[in-house]
Amino acid sequence: MLKIREAIVVEGRYDKNTLSQLVDTLILETKGFGIFKDEERLGLLRRLAAERGLIILTDSDGAGFVIRNFLKGAIDPALVKHAYVPDLMGKERRKRQPGKEGKLGVEGMRPEVLEQTLRRAGATVLEEESAANPGTPITKADLYAAGLTGAPDSAARRKALLRRLDLPEHLAANALLSVLNALYTREEFLARTAEEKR
């Protein structure tokens, strides 16, 4: 599994599922054209781009390029790398018919093709040694100890934390965990939640 420094943005959940079998990094979805009206998600993408870099990996069809071009104009280009999947005709297994243009999307690409695509885009592949000792991650148990899950007022506490950290308010607990691990060390997280308890 490739451990990549940059976060990756893809169009949808099937793209994310395919990519998550190959890379160890934060992968976020645009939810197709939903990104056009989702200021919170766009703000999160900008923040991730500034903190660790961002790779845009959309399908090679017209819709993928519309989304890519929107993101190009919305996020500082110096913080973004562009990964392009090849134009391959075909259909994904889960679909009955090929897409409108008949091209395979990210979800239909073989792992070796996706790896080459990310490497060509300049993805920062972290060395195996540093991947073995990334520091202690924030866990579900930490969220529970902070009262962010498992308690009657957990949803309200999560919402307040998301507001304080300037993160999208609709992040579910699992998504919150991924984003927190992308932006903070465990120590930083524990310090922030300890402040809240005082």
Side-chain angles (χ1 to χ4, degrees), residues 23-56:
V23 296
D24 178 10
T25 192
L26 178 62
I27 305 168
L28 293 171
E29 308 162 35
T30 65
K31 300 196 175 184
F33 294 138
I35 191 67
F36 297 167
K37 294 181 180 179
D38 193 339
E39 281 300 318
E40 284 186 336
R41 185 168 292 265
L42 192 56
L44 177 58
L45 292 177
R46 287 185 183 121
R47 185 169 172 188
L48 287 165
E51 300 251 346
R52 57 192 282 182
L54 189 68
I55 297 173
I56 298 175

Short mmCIF file of all heavy atoms in Angstrom, two decimals, residues 23-56:
data_model
loop_
_atom_site.label_atom_id
_atom_site.label_comp_id
_atom_site.label_asym_id
_atom_site.label_seq_id
_atom_site.Cartn_x
_atom_site.Cartn_y
_atom_site.Cartn_z
N VAL A 23 -3.99 3.14 -1.78
CA VAL A 23 -3.23 4.19 -1.10
C VAL A 23 -3.70 4.38 0.34
O VAL A 23 -4.86 4.16 0.66
CB VAL A 23 -3.31 5.55 -1.84
CG1 VAL A 23 -2.69 5.47 -3.21
CG2 VAL A 23 -4.73 6.05 -1.93
N ASP A 24 -2.74 4.81 1.15
CA ASP A 24 -3.02 5.14 2.54
C ASP A 24 -2.91 6.65 2.67
O ASP A 24 -1.81 7.19 2.82
CB ASP A 24 -2.02 4.43 3.45
CG ASP A 24 -2.22 4.76 4.92
OD1 ASP A 24 -3.25 5.38 5.25
OD2 ASP A 24 -1.34 4.42 5.72
N THR A 25 -4.02 7.33 2.52
CA THR A 25 -4.09 8.77 2.68
C THR A 25 -5.55 9.15 2.83
O THR A 25 -6.43 8.30 2.66
CB THR A 25 -3.43 9.53 1.51
OG1 THR A 25 -3.29 10.91 1.87
CG2 THR A 25 -4.25 9.42 0.23
N LEU A 26 -5.81 10.40 3.11
CA LEU A 26 -7.19 10.87 3.20
C LEU A 26 -7.74 11.03 1.79
O LEU A 26 -7.13 11.70 0.96
CB LEU A 26 -7.23 12.20 3.96
CG LEU A 26 -8.61 12.84 4.10
CD1 LEU A 26 -9.55 11.95 4.90
CD2 LEU A 26 -8.50 14.20 4.76
N ILE A 27 -8.88 10.40 1.53
CA ILE A 27 -9.53 10.49 0.21
C ILE A 27 -10.91 11.10 0.44
O ILE A 27 -11.70 10.59 1.22
CB ILE A 27 -9.67 9.11 -0.46
CG1 ILE A 27 -8.31 8.42 -0.56
CG2 ILE A 27 -10.32 9.25 -1.84
CD1 ILE A 27 -8.39 6.95 -0.95
N LEU A 28 -11.18 12.20 -0.25
CA LEU A 28 -12.48 12.87 -0.12
C LEU A 28 -13.19 12.87 -1.46
O LEU A 28 -12.56 12.86 -2.51
CB LEU A 28 -12.29 14.31 0.35
CG LEU A 28 -11.75 14.46 1.78
CD1 LEU A 28 -11.41 15.91 2.06
CD2 LEU A 28 -12.77 13.97 2.78
N GLU A 29 -14.52 12.90 -1.40
CA GLU A 29 -15.34 12.91 -2.62
C GLU A 29 -15.88 14.31 -2.88
O GLU A 29 -16.19 15.04 -1.95
CB GLU A 29 -16.54 11.98 -2.46
CG GLU A 29 -16.24 10.59 -2.01
CD GLU A 29 -17.49 9.90 -1.46
OE1 GLU A 29 -18.59 10.14 -1.99
OE2 GLU A 29 -17.34 9.14 -0.50
N THR A 30 -16.06 14.62 -4.18
CA THR A 30 -16.75 15.87 -4.53
C THR A 30 -18.25 15.65 -4.52
O THR A 30 -19.02 16.60 -4.58
CB THR A 30 -16.36 16.36 -5.94
OG1 THR A 30 -16.82 15.42 -6.91
CG2 THR A 30 -14.87 16.58 -6.07
N LYS A 31 -18.66 14.37 -4.47
CA LYS A 31 -20.07 13.99 -4.62
C LYS A 31 -20.59 14.52 -5.96
O LYS A 31 -21.63 15.15 -6.05
CB LYS A 31 -20.91 14.48 -3.45
CG LYS A 31 -20.40 13.87 -2.15
CD LYS A 31 -21.35 13.97 -1.02
CE LYS A 31 -20.71 13.20 0.14
NZ LYS A 31 -21.49 13.09 1.27
N GLY A 32 -19.79 14.25 -6.99
CA GLY A 32 -20.12 14.70 -8.34
C GLY A 32 -20.17 16.22 -8.39
O GLY A 32 -19.30 16.91 -7.86
N PHE A 33 -21.22 16.73 -9.01
CA PHE A 33 -21.37 18.19 -9.14
C PHE A 33 -21.80 18.84 -7.83
O PHE A 33 -21.91 20.05 -7.75
CB PHE A 33 -22.39 18.52 -10.23
CG PHE A 33 -21.96 18.12 -11.62
CD1 PHE A 33 -22.85 17.55 -12.50
CD2 PHE A 33 -20.66 18.32 -12.05
CE1 PHE A 33 -22.47 17.18 -13.78
CE2 PHE A 33 -20.25 17.96 -13.32
CZ PHE A 33 -21.16 17.38 -14.19
N GLY A 34 -22.02 18.04 -6.79
CA GLY A 34 -22.41 18.57 -5.48
C GLY A 34 -21.40 19.57 -4.94
O GLY A 34 -21.74 20.47 -4.17
N ILE A 35 -20.14 19.44 -5.34
CA ILE A 35 -19.09 20.35 -4.85
C ILE A 35 -19.36 21.79 -5.26
O ILE A 35 -18.94 22.72 -4.59
CB ILE A 35 -17.69 19.88 -5.35
CG1 ILE A 35 -16.56 20.63 -4.63
CG2 ILE A 35 -17.55 20.06 -6.85
CD1 ILE A 35 -16.45 20.32 -3.18
N PHE A 36 -20.10 21.99 -6.35
CA PHE A 36 -20.35 23.35 -6.84
C PHE A 36 -21.10 24.20 -5.81
O PHE A 36 -20.93 25.41 -5.78
CB PHE A 36 -21.15 23.33 -8.14
CG PHE A 36 -20.43 22.67 -9.30
CD1 PHE A 36 -21.13 22.35 -10.44
CD2 PHE A 36 -19.09 22.35 -9.24
CE1 PHE A 36 -20.49 21.75 -11.52
CE2 PHE A 36 -18.45 21.74 -10.31
CZ PHE A 36 -19.14 21.44 -11.45
N LYS A 37 -21.93 23.56 -4.98
CA LYS A 37 -22.74 24.31 -4.02
C LYS A 37 -22.34 24.05 -2.57
O LYS A 37 -22.96 24.57 -1.66
CB LYS A 37 -24.22 23.95 -4.20
CG LYS A 37 -24.78 24.40 -5.53
CD LYS A 37 -26.24 24.04 -5.66
CE LYS A 37 -26.78 24.49 -7.01
NZ LYS A 37 -28.18 24.14 -7.17
N ASP A 38 -21.31 23.24 -2.36
CA ASP A 38 -20.93 22.85 -1.01
C ASP A 38 -19.71 23.66 -0.54
O ASP A 38 -18.57 23.21 -0.65
CB ASP A 38 -20.63 21.34 -0.97
CG ASP A 38 -20.53 20.79 0.44
OD1 ASP A 38 -20.29 21.58 1.37
OD2 ASP A 38 -20.67 19.56 0.59
N GLU A 39 -19.97 24.84 -0.02
CA GLU A 39 -18.90 25.74 0.42
C GLU A 39 -18.07 25.13 1.55
O GLU A 39 -16.87 25.35 1.63
CB GLU A 39 -19.46 27.09 0.86
CG GLU A 39 -19.81 28.02 -0.29
CD GLU A 39 -18.61 28.37 -1.18
OE1 GLU A 39 -17.51 28.63 -0.64
OE2 GLU A 39 -18.77 28.38 -2.40
N GLU A 40 -18.73 24.38 2.44
CA GLU A 40 -17.99 23.76 3.55
C GLU A 40 -16.98 22.75 3.05
O GLU A 40 -15.84 22.74 3.48
CB GLU A 40 -18.96 23.07 4.52
CG GLU A 40 -19.71 24.03 5.41
CD GLU A 40 -20.55 23.27 6.44
OE1 GLU A 40 -20.89 22.10 6.22
OE2 GLU A 40 -20.83 23.88 7.48
N ARG A 41 -17.40 21.88 2.13
CA ARG A 41 -16.50 20.86 1.60
C ARG A 41 -15.37 21.53 0.82
O ARG A 41 -14.21 21.13 0.91
CB ARG A 41 -17.27 19.88 0.71
CG ARG A 41 -16.42 18.71 0.22
CD ARG A 41 -17.29 17.65 -0.39
NE ARG A 41 -18.12 17.02 0.62
CZ ARG A 41 -17.80 15.90 1.26
NH1 ARG A 41 -16.69 15.28 0.98
NH2 ARG A 41 -18.59 15.40 2.17
N LEU A 42 -15.70 22.56 0.07
CA LEU A 42 -14.69 23.29 -0.70
C LEU A 42 -13.68 23.94 0.26
O LEU A 42 -12.47 23.92 0.01
CB LEU A 42 -15.36 24.34 -1.58
CG LEU A 42 -14.49 24.99 -2.65
CD1 LEU A 42 -13.85 23.95 -3.56
CD2 LEU A 42 -15.32 25.95 -3.47
N GLY A 43 -14.18 24.48 1.36
CA GLY A 43 -13.30 25.07 2.37
C GLY A 43 -12.36 24.03 2.95
O GLY A 43 -11.17 24.30 3.19
N LEU A 44 -12.88 22.82 3.19
CA LEU A 44 -12.06 21.74 3.72
C LEU A 44 -10.98 21.35 2.70
O LEU A 44 -9.82 21.14 3.06
CB LEU A 44 -12.92 20.53 4.07
CG LEU A 44 -12.18 19.29 4.58
CD1 LEU A 44 -11.35 19.60 5.82
CD2 LEU A 44 -13.17 18.16 4.87
N LEU A 45 -11.34 21.27 1.42
CA LEU A 45 -10.36 20.94 0.39
C LEU A 45 -9.26 22.00 0.33
O LEU A 45 -8.08 21.67 0.20
CB LEU A 45 -11.04 20.79 -0.98
CG LEU A 45 -11.98 19.60 -1.14
CD1 LEU A 45 -12.64 19.61 -2.51
CD2 LEU A 45 -11.26 18.29 -0.90
N ARG A 46 -9.65 23.27 0.44
CA ARG A 46 -8.64 24.35 0.45
C ARG A 46 -7.69 24.21 1.64
O ARG A 46 -6.49 24.39 1.52
CB ARG A 46 -9.33 25.72 0.51
CG ARG A 46 -10.00 26.12 -0.78
CD ARG A 46 -10.57 27.54 -0.66
NE ARG A 46 -11.28 27.92 -1.85
CZ ARG A 46 -12.56 28.27 -1.88
NH1 ARG A 46 -13.28 28.33 -0.78
NH2 ARG A 46 -13.12 28.61 -3.02
N ARG A 47 -8.27 23.90 2.78
CA ARG A 47 -7.46 23.76 3.99
C ARG A 47 -6.50 22.58 3.88
O ARG A 47 -5.33 22.68 4.24
CB ARG A 47 -8.39 23.58 5.19
CG ARG A 47 -7.69 23.55 6.50
CD ARG A 47 -8.68 23.65 7.60
NE ARG A 47 -8.05 23.45 8.89
CZ ARG A 47 -8.73 23.33 10.01
NH1 ARG A 47 -10.03 23.42 10.01
NH2 ARG A 47 -8.09 23.13 11.14
N LEU A 48 -6.99 21.45 3.39
CA LEU A 48 -6.13 20.29 3.20
C LEU A 48 -5.03 20.57 2.19
O LEU A 48 -3.89 20.16 2.36
CB LEU A 48 -6.95 19.07 2.77
CG LEU A 48 -7.82 18.45 3.86
CD1 LEU A 48 -8.85 17.51 3.26
CD2 LEU A 48 -6.95 17.73 4.89
N ALA A 49 -5.38 21.30 1.13
CA ALA A 49 -4.38 21.66 0.12
C ALA A 49 -3.26 22.49 0.77
O ALA A 49 -2.08 22.28 0.50
CB ALA A 49 -5.03 22.44 -1.03
N ALA A 50 -3.63 23.41 1.63
CA ALA A 50 -2.65 24.27 2.29
C ALA A 50 -1.81 23.49 3.31
O ALA A 50 -0.61 23.74 3.45
CB ALA A 50 -3.35 25.44 2.98
N GLU A 51 -2.42 22.53 3.99
CA GLU A 51 -1.72 21.80 5.06
C GLU A 51 -0.83 20.67 4.54
O GLU A 51 0.25 20.45 5.07
CB GLU A 51 -2.73 21.20 6.04
CG GLU A 51 -3.61 22.23 6.69
CD GLU A 51 -3.29 22.44 8.15
OE1 GLU A 51 -2.58 21.62 8.74
OE2 GLU A 51 -3.77 23.44 8.69
N ARG A 52 -1.30 19.95 3.51
CA ARG A 52 -0.52 18.78 3.08
C ARG A 52 -0.48 18.56 1.58
O ARG A 52 0.12 17.61 1.11
CB ARG A 52 -1.02 17.53 3.79
CG ARG A 52 -2.48 17.22 3.57
CD ARG A 52 -2.99 16.17 4.50
NE ARG A 52 -2.62 14.83 4.09
CZ ARG A 52 -2.98 13.74 4.73
NH1 ARG A 52 -3.68 13.82 5.81
NH2 ARG A 52 -2.60 12.55 4.32
N GLY A 53 -1.14 19.44 0.82
CA GLY A 53 -1.20 19.27 -0.63
C GLY A 53 -2.44 18.47 -1.01
O GLY A 53 -3.00 17.74 -0.19
N LEU A 54 -2.87 18.62 -2.25
CA LEU A 54 -4.08 17.97 -2.73
C LEU A 54 -3.83 17.43 -4.13
O LEU A 54 -3.22 18.11 -4.96
CB LEU A 54 -5.23 18.97 -2.74
CG LEU A 54 -6.63 18.45 -3.01
CD1 LEU A 54 -7.11 17.58 -1.85
CD2 LEU A 54 -7.60 19.60 -3.22
N ILE A 55 -4.30 16.22 -4.38
CA ILE A 55 -4.25 15.64 -5.72
C ILE A 55 -5.67 15.51 -6.22
O ILE A 55 -6.52 14.93 -5.54
CB ILE A 55 -3.57 14.25 -5.72
CG1 ILE A 55 -2.11 14.38 -5.27
CG2 ILE A 55 -3.64 13.61 -7.11
CD1 ILE A 55 -1.41 13.04 -5.09
N ILE A 56 -5.95 16.07 -7.38
CA ILE A 56 -7.27 15.95 -7.99
C ILE A 56 -7.22 14.78 -8.97
O ILE A 56 -6.40 14.76 -9.89
CB ILE A 56 -7.69 17.25 -8.70
CG1 ILE A 56 -7.79 18.39 -7.69
CG2 ILE A 56 -9.02 17.06 -9.44
CD1 ILE A 56 -8.07 19.75 -8.30
#
